[in-house]
Amino acid sequence: MKDSGTTREFGDDWNGAVAPPSKASLLYAAAEDERTRFFLWAPVALGAGIACYFSLASEPGYVTALALLGAAAIVKFSLQRATLTAVVAAGAVLAALGFLAAKLRVEQVRAPVLEKIMVNVAVTGRIERIEPKATRGERITIAVEQLGELSAALRPERVRVRTMKTAGALKPGDRVSFKATLSPPAKPALPGGFDFARTAWFERLGGVGYTFSVIKAEPRADAVAWPRSLRDDFRLGIEAIRQSIGARVHAALPGETGAIATALITGERGGISQQTNDAFRDSGLFHILSISGLHMVVMAGAVFFSVRLLLALIPALALRFDIRKWAALAGIAGALAYLAISGGAFATVRSAITILIMFGAILIGRPAIALRNVAIAAFVILLVFPESLFDAGFQMSFAAVTGLVATYEAVRRRFGQRGERHPVLKAGMFFGGIVLSTLVASAAVAPFAAYHFHQSQQYAVIANLLAIPVCNFLVMPAALAAFVLMPLGLEHIALWPMGKGIELMVWCAAKVAGLPGATGYIPAIPPIAFALFVLGGLWLALWQGRQRMLGVAAALAGLALAPTLPRPDALIARGGELVAVRTAEGTLSALPARQSKFELQRWLEHDGDARQAKDAAKAKGFTCDDAGCVARVKGVVLAVARHPSAMDDDCARAGILVLDVPRPRGCEGAQNVIDFFDIWRNGTHALYIDPGAGGAKAEIRIETVAAHRGDRPWSKMPQRSSQRRLPVPRMAAHNENAETGAQLPGYAARPEWLAPTFPRPEVEDDDIELEPN
C-alpha cells in the first residue's frame, strides 16, 4: 500500500503497518483545521488579562504591567512560528496587553473622589447634562469649579445631583450655584455585588447626592475660560441640539409616548415611568428602550439602503462605480450623527464601533456580517475601554451578536444561497428568522441576565415576535424621517406614525408582562458557574469542528454548579441599622430601617426572592423589646442592641452582637461584635453560620464588601477614627419605620453625633443603573 504524507508523518511500525496517531498528533491536527478561527479568540485573551487586573486585591504598578508584557513577548518571539505553542504564547501576549491597557485606563481617568459625606455644601460649576425624571425633578451632571472649602487636589471633577424641581430655563453650559448633600459613589449593597463606585471612577464622577435648593444661574467668571476647548464646545453644542430635539418631540407627542420617542431618538430615558420600564423589562423588550445595536443597525442600515437605492436609480453611477461603498460611507456618516445626537452613552458608542467596522468591511470588499468583524469590534472596545468587560450591557450585547452571527454563518454554510423564493415563503422565513434570532439571543444572554439581574423573561419570544417588526419597520424609520424633516419644521408628519408604533409596543409589553409567570426569579449563581457558561458559549460559537460540542458540556457543568452558591445567614448594613436574618423557611427577614430600601431590595434579588423590600422589612424573624431585638439563626443568638441597658446582657449571651454605635469597653463575651465603625469601614457584612455537629461550637464566617473590593483607586478604605472607643453618650430616637412612620418599641438608641446622613434612597436608586444597555 502506498504511503501518504499523513501516514509518513505518524510513522510506520516494524512490520509495515501504519502506527495509530498519538493524542498530540490528533490535537495538532484538530488545531490545524481551526487555524482560521484563532483570530476570533484574540478579544477573549485580551479580556482575560483585563479580568486579571481587576481581580487583584491591591493596585499594581506600571512596572508589573510592563514586565508581564515584556516577558510574554520574549517567550512568544523565542518560539518557532506556526506552532500551537506559539499560538498559546500569542494569547499570553494579548492577555498581558489587556492587563497593561486596564492599568493605563485607570490612570488616564484618575480624578478626586469625595472621602466623606458633605451636608448642605455650596457647589459652583457648569451644567454638563440635564436628565428629566418621570416623577419629579431632574438629574443634573455638574463640572465642578468650587465645592465648599475643598482644594483643587481634593475637589471632584464631576458630581451628579438629583433635584426636586426642574431647572427651568437652564441648559448645558450654564454656570450655576446651589447647595447640596453629596456623598462618595455608593459601595456594593453586599459582598460581590454591583460596584457603582468603580463605574463612577471611569466617568470621573466623584460625588452623587441631592439638592432641595434652587439652582441659580451665575455670571461667567473671567477667571474661568469656558468652553475650555473645541471638544467642550462641540459637546455643549450637541447637548443643546439634543435638548432642542427633545422639546420638539414632546411638543408633537406629549406624555409618555413622547418620553419613549425621546429615548429612542436622543437616548434620554428619564421621562419613562417605572411602570413602563418594568413592563418592558418583564416582557423581554427592555433592549428596545436603550439605544444600542438594534437601533444603530436600523438607523444606519436605513441610511445605507436608502442611499444605495437612490444611487441605483442613476444608471451612469450604478454601472460604473461600486455604489455599495458609497452607501457604506453614507451609513458611517449616519451612524456617527446618530451617535452624537443620542448622547454618546457607552452602549451607543459600543454599537457605533461595531457598525463602523461592518461598514468598513464593505469598503474593503469583505462580508459585513462575520464573526471576524465582531471579534475586531470587541477587541477595539476592550483595548480602548477595558472597564467595559464588566459592563452587563457589553457582555449581553456581544453574547447576543456572537450567537446570532455564528448561527447565521452556520446556516449559510449548511444551506448556501438558494434561488428565488415565493413571497409567502419569504414572509414565513422572515418571521421564522425573528423566532430563531430571539431564541438564539435569549439563550446567549440568559446566563448574563441570571448572573447580573437574577431574572428571566419566559415569554420574550412572543413579545419580540410582536414588537420587533413594529420597531424595525415603523418606529425607527419614522424616527429617521423625523430627523430629516426637523430642519423644515415638519417633524410632526413622521412623529405621528412613530407615536402610534410606540403605543403598539407599549401595549404589547404590558400584555406579555401581565401573563402568569412572565418573569422568573433566579438566586445568585457562583462565579465559577458563570465562567463555565461564558467559556462554553464561546467554545460552541467560535469553533467549527466537532470539538465545539465541548462547549455544551462546559455550559452543562455551569448549569450543574449554578445552585451551589451559599446564601448568607445574616446581612448587616447602614451603620448597623439594617439587619436581616434568614428564617427557618429560607427567606430573609429584616428590621425596618430608614433609607434602606435599595440595599434590602438588592439582597432580595440576590436571593431570587420576588418580594418587595417593604414586605421583608417586618421583623418577623426577630423578637423585640424596649432595649433591642434578638433572632436565633441556626442555633446562634444574634442580638441587635439599641439601648445601653441591653449591652451587658447581650455581650454575655449573644453569639453575634450588632451595634449601631461604637463598641463599648468590656464587651468581650460575644463571639462576634459588629459595630457602627466596622460597617463604616468595611461596608455590608455577610455572615455564614456552620452550626457544627454533635454539640460542637458553631463557626461563623464573615465576608465584607471591603474584602471583596480590595484596596483599589475606587475603593479606598476610610481611615480608622481615633475616637472609636468613646463612651456612648446620650441616646436619641432615630429609627422611625420608613414605611409607616411608626416607632418600634425599644428600637430607638444611637448617639446624636453619629446620626447618619446617607444619601436618600431614591437618589441612590436613580444614580445606580443596573439595566443592560
Side-chain angles (χ1 to χ4, degrees), residues 178-498:
F178 56 94
K179 289 190 175 182
T181 295
L182 299 173
S183 73
K187 299 176 182 178
L190 73 169
F194 172 75
D195 194 346
F196 173 65
R198 184 174 66 189
T199 301
W201 174 269
F202 291 99
E203 297 178 7
R204 294 182 175 176
L205 187 65
V208 296
Y210 61 93
T211 179
F212 289 106
S213 69
V214 177
I215 298 181
K216 297 182 295 184
E218 294 287 341
R220 181 171 299 173
D222 295 336
V224 180
W226 190 269
R228 296 189 177 98
S229 66
L230 290 176
R231 178 183 178 184
D232 292 328
D233 199 6
F234 173 78
R235 179 166 47 80
L236 291 175
I238 291 296
E239 278 298 319
I241 294 174
R242 294 180 68 245
Q243 296 287 330
S244 175
I245 291 175
R248 295 174 72 168
V249 170
H250 277 286
L253 296 174
E256 193 164 48
T257 300
I260 296 176
T262 302
L264 297 178
I265 293 175
T266 69
E268 187 53 69
R269 296 185 301 169
I272 304 175
S273 68
Q274 187 62 43
Q275 180 181 2
T276 299
N277 277 321
D278 291 342
F280 273 80
R281 183 183 296 107
D282 294 344
S283 63
L285 294 176
F286 195 78
H287 60 96
I288 290 179
L289 296 182
S290 173
I291 296 179
S292 55
L294 172 67
H295 310 80
M296 188 63 70
V297 167
V298 173
M299 191 69 74
V303 173
F304 172 80
F305 286 110
S306 298
V307 171
R308 188 179 179 186
L309 177 62
L310 291 175
L311 293 176
L313 297 176
I314 308 174
L317 295 178
L319 297 176
R320 297 177 60 187
F321 302 99
D322 188 351
I323 59 174
R324 289 177 69 251
K325 295 183 178 181
W326 293 12
L329 290 173
I332 291 174
L336 293 175
Y338 190 39
L339 172 64
I341 296 301
S342 64
F346 188 75
T348 317
V349 173
R350 182 177 62 238
S351 303
I353 292 174
T354 304
I355 198 71
L356 292 180
I357 288 175
M358 291 185 173
F359 280 134
I362 294 176
L363 292 176
I364 62 175
R366 301 295 297 271
I369 303 177
L371 279 176
R372 177 173 291 269
N373 296 337
V374 177
I376 293 173
F379 191 92
V380 171
I381 292 170
L382 289 176
L383 192 61
V384 178
F385 306 107
E387 71 276 11
S388 63
L389 179 69
F390 298 94
D391 179 64
F394 171 87
Q395 296 174 5
M396 298 176 78
S397 292
F398 273 95
V401 171
T402 301
L404 290 170
V405 175
T407 302
Y408 169 79
E409 289 186 345
V411 171
R412 185 172 57 185
R413 286 194 305 269
R414 175 66 177 84
F415 298 103
Q417 298 293 332
R418 301 297 177 91
E420 185 67 22
R421 297 181 176 90
H422 192 276
V424 175
L425 181 59
K426 286 184 178 180
M429 292 180 64
F430 171 77
F431 287 102
I434 293 177
V435 173
L436 177 62
S437 61
T438 301
L439 290 173
V440 171
S442 298
V445 304
F448 301 92
Y451 185 74
H452 291 291
F453 311 113
H454 316 297
Q455 287 187 356
S456 64
Q457 289 74 39
Q458 315 299 348
Y459 305 122
V461 174
I462 298 174
N464 281 273
L465 184 62
L466 296 174
I468 291 299
V470 177
C471 180
N472 289 357
F473 295 104
L474 178 58
V475 174
M476 294 311 297
L480 178 59
F483 274 128
V484 175
L485 294 174
M486 273 186 186
L488 304 176
L490 301 175
E491 66 276 1
H492 60 277
I493 297 175
L495 289 175
W496 184 85
M498 183 180 183

Side-chain angles (χ1 to χ4, degrees), residues 606-670:
H606 185 269
D607 254 18
D609 193 331
R611 291 181 298 164
Q612 296 298 309
K614 63 181 180 180
D615 299 321
K618 295 181 178 179
K620 292 183 178 180
F622 294 86
T623 301
C624 297
D625 58 20
D626 290 340
C629 299
V630 175
R632 185 173 292 273
V633 187
K634 292 185 175 179
V636 176
V637 175
L638 184 148
V640 183
R642 299 305 195 207
H643 195 273
S645 63
M647 292 291 183
D648 291 340
D649 193 34
D650 290 337
C651 286
R653 295 189 306 108
I656 303 167
L657 176 59
V658 180
L659 303 172
D660 61 352
V661 295
R663 182 188 314 182
R665 293 185 178 94
C667 186
E668 309 298 339

